Amino acid sequence: MATEWEERWAEIEKAGSINAYIQQQLVAKGFLVERRATDKMTPRELEQYKKSLKTEATEKAQLRKAAWQVYKANHMVYLGEGIYWSDDSSEDDFDLASAEKRLLDNQLPAITKVKQLAEQLKLTIPQLRQLCYHREAATDLNYTRFEIPKRSGGMRPIWAPRLLLKNTQRWILEHILERLLVHGAAHGFLMGRSIATNAAQHNNSEILIKLDIKDFFPSISWRRVKGVFRKAGYREQVATLLALLCTEAPREVVERQGKKHYVALGARCLPQGAPTSPALTNVLCLRLDRRLTGIATKFGWRYSRYADDMTFSLPVGHAGDPQIAKVLGSIQRVMGEEGFELNRAKTHIVRRGARQEVTGLVVNNEGLPRVKRSTKRQMRAALHNLKTGKGLKEGESLNRLKGYAAYMAMTERELGLRLLSELSEFG
């Protein structure tokens, strides 16, 4: 059912323009004054004539203000500094020639208008604008910031979307991103894949090369994200909005006069904490994964990627020179061409005699990847403390221990399930 704003905008569109609508309303309400020559008017007639013109002008201003409110309720108008936007939804030179067919092929929602996108997301146009609007300095955001410890030390900022934006991002994830093509070498954040399936690609390796993409999420700008939606078949307007919904600028929190200000430090990019970010990285890395798989195959290596962790391995029994220098050189070149940078500080070469780990699991020799012995010892010690009434060490919790047990169950099912069963006795 059309809202009052939509009905009024339909009247404006029927009139042909805002000016034509205002003219019609002035006539219908009796405010339009017929223009006449004033040189032969008496002072009284001139005074009345001026009064009528003033009344018309007042009514015209009110009608224009109301029409502008109606326009904003049905159009995006402006999306902030540095964001190009036009409410003209006609095709442009960068639209795919077969955009609608591409959407159909990908089994994606056939959204061609802003209004259709808002309806699919169950948002009003003003709500959609508010979620997309970019501010260089803001006193309020659609995200909540907190920090978690990094495995390598220090703290990692997480920007978690608030409920309305989170629900919107989940819709985009479910109806668009999860239907786009990703490479078989990707194992992160995909149904049926995990750190265990990723590690299993590298069992029984002569040499293991572990690499990391530097500033992975921040290196993916909102324009690159818009390119994903354009390539999927969405036209400029819809692709722009989808990209803005999935990105945010990295920000510094500044206190001024007792009030927090969130100041942008650069262009919008993928925020760590948004449901859409991991899936977008997989889609964006499709060509990178293809090219790195090609390099691995050429030199007799294996390749897989879990988020920003990339692993190359040379199987035991491989004949000939492993050509490590050439492999690394080729990887670095391709990464640069694909818009990524290698984190040299996290590049490790591990040979067969040492413990080889991939996404936290041991892959030496044949068989399934395994949890480290030290982790198993810690779990047994924590369980022993619980059973003997000693309590848990600082930093440990029952939920965390259950998480570790579930983690173990991915590769050593019997052990993990037994630990889960024993832990469940304590709550």
Side-chain angles (χ1 to χ4, degrees):
M1 186 176 181
T3 65
E4 179 186 352
W5 294 114
E6 290 171 332
E7 290 173 353
R8 292 177 68 181
W9 179 247
E11 292 177 11
I12 293 173
E13 286 190 313
K14 186 177 180 180
S17 67
I18 288 178
N19 287 336
Y21 170 77
I22 291 172
Q23 192 79 358
Q24 285 182 3
Q25 292 297 304
L26 289 173
V27 171
K29 295 180 178 182
F31 287 103
L32 188 64
V33 178
E34 182 183 351
R35 269 48 178 179
R36 296 180 289 141
T38 59
D39 53 344
K40 294 182 180 180
M41 288 183 182
T42 65
R44 183 184 178 86
E45 288 174 333
L46 183 60
E47 184 181 351
Q48 283 294 115
Y49 183 65
K50 287 181 178 179
K51 186 177 180 181
S52 298
L53 289 175
K54 187 176 181 180
T55 302
E56 179 196 283
T58 301
E59 181 65 19
K60 188 175 183 178
Q62 291 175 347
L63 285 167
R64 187 171 295 282
K65 181 179 179 180
W68 177 243
Q69 290 174 335
V70 173
Y71 184 89
K72 287 199 297 181
N74 290 275
H75 297 81
M76 302 306 292
V77 184
Y78 180 62
L79 290 173
E81 186 178 346
I83 308 296
Y84 171 76
W85 179 263
S86 171
D87 282 315
D88 178 9
S89 60
S90 57
E91 296 181 17
D92 67 26
D93 294 338
F94 296 99
D95 285 329
L96 294 175
S98 56
E100 280 71 29
K101 183 179 182 301
R102 180 71 66 87
L103 292 176
L104 186 64
D105 291 343
N106 288 325
Q107 297 183 326
L108 302 179
I111 301 170
T112 58
K113 305 289 183 184
V114 173
K115 183 180 177 182
Q116 292 175 325
L117 178 61
E119 289 172 348
Q120 289 280 359
L121 298 174
K122 294 181 172 56
L123 300 172
T124 64
I125 295 294
Q127 283 177 318
L128 181 57
R129 179 170 54 244
Q130 190 272 331
L131 292 179
C132 294
Y133 201 92
H134 175 74
R135 291 178 176 84
E136 288 296 306
T139 55
D140 190 34
L141 291 178
N142 293 309
Y143 289 83
T144 301
R145 184 184 187 276
F146 60 92
E147 294 181 334
I148 60 173
K150 290 183 180 180
R151 189 171 56 184
S152 57
M155 302 300 289
R156 185 190 307 279
I158 301 295
W159 293 88
R162 292 179 178 172
L163 185 59
L164 184 61
L165 180 57
K166 181 184 286 187
N167 290 338
T168 299
Q169 290 175 341
R170 282 176 174 164
W171 186 94
I172 295 171
L173 175 64
E174 179 183 349
H175 293 87
I176 299 178
L177 298 178
E178 288 182 346
R179 301 180 185 184
L180 298 179
L181 185 65
V182 299
H183 196 273
H187 287 263
F189 320 106
L190 293 167
M191 186 72 70
R193 299 191 182 188
S194 64
I195 58 171
T197 63
N198 181 61
Q201 309 303 308
H202 304 284
N203 275 358
N204 205 27
S205 298
E206 191 70 47
I207 305 171
L208 197 70
I209 302 179
K210 301 197 292 183
L211 309 107
D212 183 89
I213 301 173
K214 187 176 181 181
D215 299 327
F216 190 39
F217 281 20
S219 68
I220 298 176
S221 69
W222 81 272
R223 287 184 173 82
R224 290 181 74 177
V225 174
K226 184 168 82 168
V228 168
F229 293 113
R230 293 282 271 177
K231 190 174 180 180
Y234 290 106
R235 300 196 184 277
E236 172 69 19
Q237 281 189 318
V238 173
T240 296
L241 296 175
L242 289 170
L244 291 172
L245 288 168
C246 295
T247 57
E248 178 54 88
R251 294 182 182 270
E252 182 177 355
V253 183
V254 178
E255 291 273 355
R256 185 178 180 184
Q257 296 179 344
K259 194 170 186 178
K260 283 185 179 179
H261 294 262
Y262 303 91
V263 181
L265 301 176
R268 294 174 75 97
C269 58
L270 292 185
Q272 294 203 33
T276 44
S277 291
L280 276 164
T281 62
N282 283 335
V283 176
L284 273 159
C285 286
L286 174 61
R287 194 167 73 170
L288 173 71
D289 290 336
R290 280 175 176 165
R291 296 183 69 182
L292 293 183
T293 297
I295 290 170
T297 302
K298 177 182 176 180
F299 291 101
W301 292 66
R302 300 171 294 195
Y303 163 71
S304 71
R305 180 181 58 81
Y306 189 97
D308 57 347
D309 291 330
M310 302 182 301
T311 307
F312 288 79
S313 62
L314 189 69
V316 168
H318 178 270
D321 184 359
Q323 302 185 76
I324 296 175
K326 283 188 177 180
V327 170
L328 285 172
S330 299
I331 292 168
Q332 188 167 344
R333 174 179 56 79
V334 166
M335 286 182 64
E337 291 171 355
E338 294 298 324
F340 296 105
E341 184 180 351
L342 189 64
N343 189 342
R344 292 179 175 273
K346 292 187 177 181
T347 298
H348 302 287
I349 300 173
V350 188
R351 297 186 181 273
R352 190 181 182 187
R355 186 176 68 192
Q356 296 175 330
E357 287 182 43
V358 178
T359 45
L361 297 171
V362 179
V363 295
N364 293 79
N365 305 320
E366 297 179 354
L368 291 174
R370 312 172 287 291
V371 175
K372 291 182 290 186
R373 290 178 183 174
S374 59
T375 303
K376 294 176 184 178
R377 285 197 295 269
Q378 289 171 5
M379 284 291 291
R380 291 190 185 104
L383 195 56
H384 174 75
N385 288 339
L386 284 172
K387 289 179 177 180
T388 56
K390 292 182 180 179
L392 299 174
K393 294 181 181 179
E394 185 179 351
E396 287 183 337
S397 68
L398 191 58
N399 283 338
R400 186 166 184 170
L401 293 175
K402 287 180 178 179
Y404 273 121
Y407 165 66
M408 291 180 178
M410 286 194 300
T411 54
E412 297 179 64
R413 187 170 177 78
E414 288 186 11
L415 173 61
L417 292 179
R418 178 170 57 78
L419 289 171
L420 275 172
S421 176
E422 292 183 44
L423 287 168
S424 65
E425 297 176 10
F426 300 94

